[in-house]
Every structure is written in structure tokens, then in C-alpha cells.
Amino acid sequence: MIDRIAPRFARYEPLRHAAELMAGMVSGLDRKNCWTIAEHRGDATPDGLQHLLSRAKWDADAVRDDLRDYVVDAFADPGAILVVDETGDVKKGVHSVGVQRQYTGTAGRIENAQVAVYLTYAAPRGHALIDRALYLPKSWTDDAARCDNAGIPDGQRDFATKPALATALVARAVTAKVAAAWVAGDEVYGADPRLRAAIRGHGLGYVLAVSANRRVPTQAGPIRVDRLPAHLPKRAWQKYSAGPGSHGHRYYSWAWIALRPEDDTDTGCHHLLIRRTDATGELAYLRCYSPRPTTLHTLVAVAGQRWRIEESFQTAKGLTGLDQHQVRRWTSWHRWTTLAMLAHAFLAVATATGRDAQPTPAGLITLTVNEFRRLFDALLLVTRHTVTTLLAWSRWRRRHQYRARQSHYKRRQHQ
């Protein structure tokens, strides 16, 4: 994996620090940032890792392209699904790039947070994050001084909605000739007609959730989706699994209704897919499109894979510290995020390789990414702890915290 990204670095030192950073990301550290990883790896200070993220000469977008190729090479499937979704990182201050009070699903409420849109490649053999785009609210794009302070490039300061960012991520994957047939996403993305049109223009199908109050073009005219289930006969509902979960297959009842095309040039097939949880009667709605006729079972299978990106978020945050960065500026955020995604992709690909190499014995579940990371850390990651280095780090932390406290006191006194 390091050999794959090595050409992106002009000098050996930044490449070595990138390798050390990713080794720390896949380690068993409870908290992962430049301080904790440098200490864990046996460095005298975090200066090298901080330099890697802020000032070293290397292109995070080029490494992102290497990451995408690495994942697709490992998991390539012509029926794969590109899943888009956003996630937030809760923050305390106001200086981290893109931060403001906004809704984030991570907390389930409005919090002071950064939000970014991600793209996951989901295929039968495995799934991993392959692209990212930081969301900049208008409170940032309308404030040139704030953008200057965070180092946001001039070409990145135009406001873009989350669906617009998702549109760019999908277009980038298509341009790179990523093997895929579908795009999936939640209500934020299903409600955007420009995103839907862009996906159709790429020749891909989609299964995108929509909220209950959305109107769709039926043969009888535009109708709210929540009005349609009452008109369906009992025989319209069919029970299918949306795929295996942690407690077995996830069975729901499904129905689909043919829709009219969204424009005169559209020759594909449009449907509204309705999912019913039989135990509670809860309904969910998804707008679907396929360039060619397809089956209800296929649409259900695609809908069931949308949750792969939630799994990617959970493992990337929990295992490789995707959300644990302590950086404020545009360049540092993209560099940390890209390397954390690459570390997560390594775990996903290595886990799939381990499953292929050794069939699961009877009485055991298949090898998981969490379990592989635990074994990799225990068996292969070697650290260089000594009493001297541990005490040196204790002094370094206390000295740094003392200086930070004195700086804080001076600012308060000046104010």
C-alpha cells in the first residue's frame, strides 16, 4: 500500500511519516492524533507528523486517487454500488474549517460540527470509502477573511449543497472508470433533481430514499408518496431480505409502482419502491431508476446496500480515527482524512483477502474488519517504548500544556 502512494511524495521523510501515521491509525490506541501516534511510534515529538499534515509537499487528491484505485482493484464488480452520505465531527471551537452549528447525524441533533460528504464503493467482496468532500456552509463561503485564515483555496470557496458535492464525487468516480452500476443515498440526495439527472446522464441506475411528503410523477399525475400505499392491493406486497445484518437477514415487505420519466429524453425505467416493516407498519420510500428493465429483487438488493456507508463510517472512525483529527486548516483536514480512509481501506482489503485465503471454520463467524485490526496490531505493529521515552513524552506534554495555559492567560488579560 505504501509502495502505491510513494510516487506522490517528492522526499522520503514525508513518506516515512505518512507510513508511521497510518500505522498509528490502525493501532489499538484509544485516541488517535499526532501527539498520541508519535508517542506510540517512539518519536521524540509530534513535529514530523504535524509537518506532514500542514507544510510537507504532497498532493492529498492524488493519494485519494490511489486509494480509489486500490479499493476498486480489490473489490471490482460491474454491479457495484456507489453509496453517498454525509457524517459530522462534533467540535468545540469556531476555527476548524467548515465548522458551525448544524445538524449532524453523528449526534442526532444540531451541534457545533464539521460535516463532509463521502462516497463508498460497495461490492459483494467488500466495501470502503473512496472519496470525500468537506461541506462549507455559507457562513464560511461568505466570509473571505475566515476562508483565508483556514487556507481554503480560491477555487474551493463557492457554496455547494451536499447533493452538489455528491454529484461531483459520483462524476469523479465515473471519469476514473470505476466499475459500478448503481448509486444509493438517503433523503438528502433523493430529493435533488439535479443529482438524479446527473446519475442518469452517467448511465447509472439509482435507489435514493425520499421523504414521505415528496411528490412523484405517476400515470395519474403528481402524487405524494405517502398517499400511494393505501391504493395498493395486498398482492402487491412481496417479502424480500434487504441483506444479512448482525442478527440475520433483514426481511421487509416491498411494493413498487411504475413512474413517468422525469424528462422527454429519458428512456430508462422509473419506479417508486416502498418498504414496509411488518412488525410496526412503518413505511419508507425510494425513487428508483435503471437504464434498462430490472426486477424488484434487484432494486431491493441495491436498497439494502445503502447501509454499507454507515458501516464504513463506524469502522473508519472507530478503528482508524477518521474523526479524531485535531487540525483546523483545509489542507490538514484533507490530508488526515485521506490517510485515515487509506488506512481503513487497507483493513477492509486485508480482511477480504484473509477470508478468501482461509474458509471460516464451523462454529465461527467470518473474519471481521475489527478482528483483523486487533490481530494486526497485536502481531505485527512494533512500538519502541522505553522508560526514557515515556518520561520524555510526559515532560513534552506538560511543557506544551504549560505554554498553552500561559498563552491563554495572556489573551484573557489582554481582553
Side-chain angles (χ1 to χ4, degrees):
M1 182 178 65
I2 297 301
D3 291 341
R4 184 182 287 260
I5 67 171
R8 307 303 186 182
F9 295 81
R11 297 177 60 248
Y12 171 72
E13 282 300 308
L15 176 63
R16 179 175 66 83
H17 289 312
E20 288 191 352
L21 187 66
M22 286 189 286
M25 287 172 166
V26 299
S27 73
L29 284 170
D30 292 332
R31 188 70 181 169
K32 294 166 183 176
N33 54 56
C34 288
W35 289 20
T36 59
I37 291 174
E39 180 179 10
H40 179 72
R41 300 300 302 166
D43 295 339
T45 72
D47 295 348
L49 300 185
Q50 291 173 343
H51 178 77
L52 169 75
L53 297 179
S54 59
R55 299 181 301 279
K57 299 296 184 183
W58 62 283
D59 188 346
D61 285 348
V63 174
R64 174 209 58 205
D65 294 344
D66 293 334
L67 155 68
R68 179 194 60 226
D69 295 344
Y70 173 67
V71 171
V72 175
D73 287 349
F75 298 149
D77 187 275
I81 305 161
L82 302 173
V83 191
V84 294
D85 200 3
E86 77 275 0
T87 188
D89 302 336
V90 176
K91 296 293 178 182
K92 293 183 179 179
V94 297
H95 300 294
S96 297
V97 60
V99 72
Q100 77 163 20
R101 286 190 59 80
Q102 55 190 317
Y103 178 82
T104 168
T106 304
R109 59 184 181 271
I110 293 176
E111 285 282 359
N112 192 61
Q114 286 173 317
V115 173
V117 178
Y118 289 84
L119 187 69
T120 276
Y121 186 80
R125 189 164 178 261
H127 60 91
L129 299 166
I130 61 170
D131 208 344
R132 72 289 183 262
L134 181 64
Y135 172 68
L136 292 178
K138 288 185 177 179
S139 62
W140 278 82
T141 58
D142 292 345
D143 190 335
R146 201 178 190 193
C147 291
D148 289 340
N149 290 336
I152 301 174
D154 291 339
Q156 303 290 340
R157 298 186 183 189
D158 293 334
F159 175 73
T161 65
K162 293 164 191 157
L165 295 176
T167 301
L169 298 184
V170 172
R172 197 147 55 215
V174 170
T175 301
K177 296 181 170 32
V178 169
W182 300 91
V183 176
D186 66 14
E187 292 91 342
V188 172
Y189 307 96
D192 191 278
R194 287 167 293 188
L195 172 59
R196 297 197 304 268
I199 297 171
R200 295 195 300 270
H202 294 311
L204 300 174
Y206 57 71
V207 177
L208 300 169
V210 293
S211 57
N213 62 356
R214 292 288 172 177
R215 301 171 74 87
V216 292
T218 70
Q219 303 300 326
I223 300 176
R224 277 177 53 130
V225 296
D226 57 357
R227 302 277 180 86
L228 294 171
H231 300 285
L232 295 174
K234 186 176 181 179
R235 66 178 181 276
W237 296 93
Q238 301 181 50
K239 182 165 286 190
Y240 286 111
S241 169
S246 58
H247 301 290
H249 279 273
R250 299 169 292 150
Y251 283 100
Y252 300 93
S253 290
W254 304 82
W256 62 338
I257 300 169
L259 301 179
R260 294 178 62 85
E262 292 202 57
D263 59 66
D264 295 336
T265 63
D266 186 359
T267 60
C269 304
H270 293 260
H271 291 88
L272 177 71
L273 181 63
I274 307 174
R275 187 191 72 205
R276 184 180 70 197
T277 304
D278 292 329
T280 63
E282 180 183 5
L283 299 172
Y285 307 92
L286 304 103
R287 288 192 73 151
C288 306
Y289 167 81
S290 58
R292 292 166 295 280
T294 189
T295 64
L296 173 60
H297 183 268
T298 298
L299 296 181
V300 169
V302 176
Q305 292 299 303
R306 180 165 65 90
W307 306 106
R308 292 300 186 190
I309 197 165
E310 299 292 344
E311 295 176 2
S312 294
F313 289 152
Q314 182 180 8
T315 52
K317 290 183 178 184
L319 300 183
T320 64
L322 179 69
D323 62 338
Q324 295 177 20
H325 56 84
Q326 294 182 345
V327 297
R328 292 182 174 181
R329 294 173 62 81
W330 174 271
T331 297
S332 298
W333 184 91
H334 281 82
R335 289 180 171 186
W336 174 278
T337 300
T338 302
L339 293 177
M341 289 166 56
L342 184 56
H344 171 256
F346 162 73
L347 295 178
V349 171
T351 301
T353 302
R355 291 170 181 165
D356 295 343
Q358 185 173 2
T360 304
L364 300 180
I365 66 169
T366 58
L367 182 66
T368 64
V369 173
N370 293 51
E371 184 62 23
F372 176 83
R373 200 277 307 164
R374 187 178 292 109
L375 293 172
F376 185 79
D377 179 41
L379 298 175
L380 296 177
L381 291 183
V382 179
T383 58
R384 302 184 291 274
H385 286 307
T386 66
V387 172
T388 300
T389 60
L390 289 173
L391 292 177
W393 264 94
S394 175
R395 290 191 297 271
W396 189 93
R397 275 195 303 273
R398 289 155 58 196
R399 181 170 61 252
H400 185 90
Q401 290 162 354
Y402 172 81
R403 291 171 178 170
R405 180 182 298 175
Q406 294 303 308
S407 177
H408 175 71
Y409 288 162
K410 289 180 180 178
R411 284 198 303 270
R412 290 289 299 273
Q413 186 177 23
H414 177 72
Q415 292 170 356

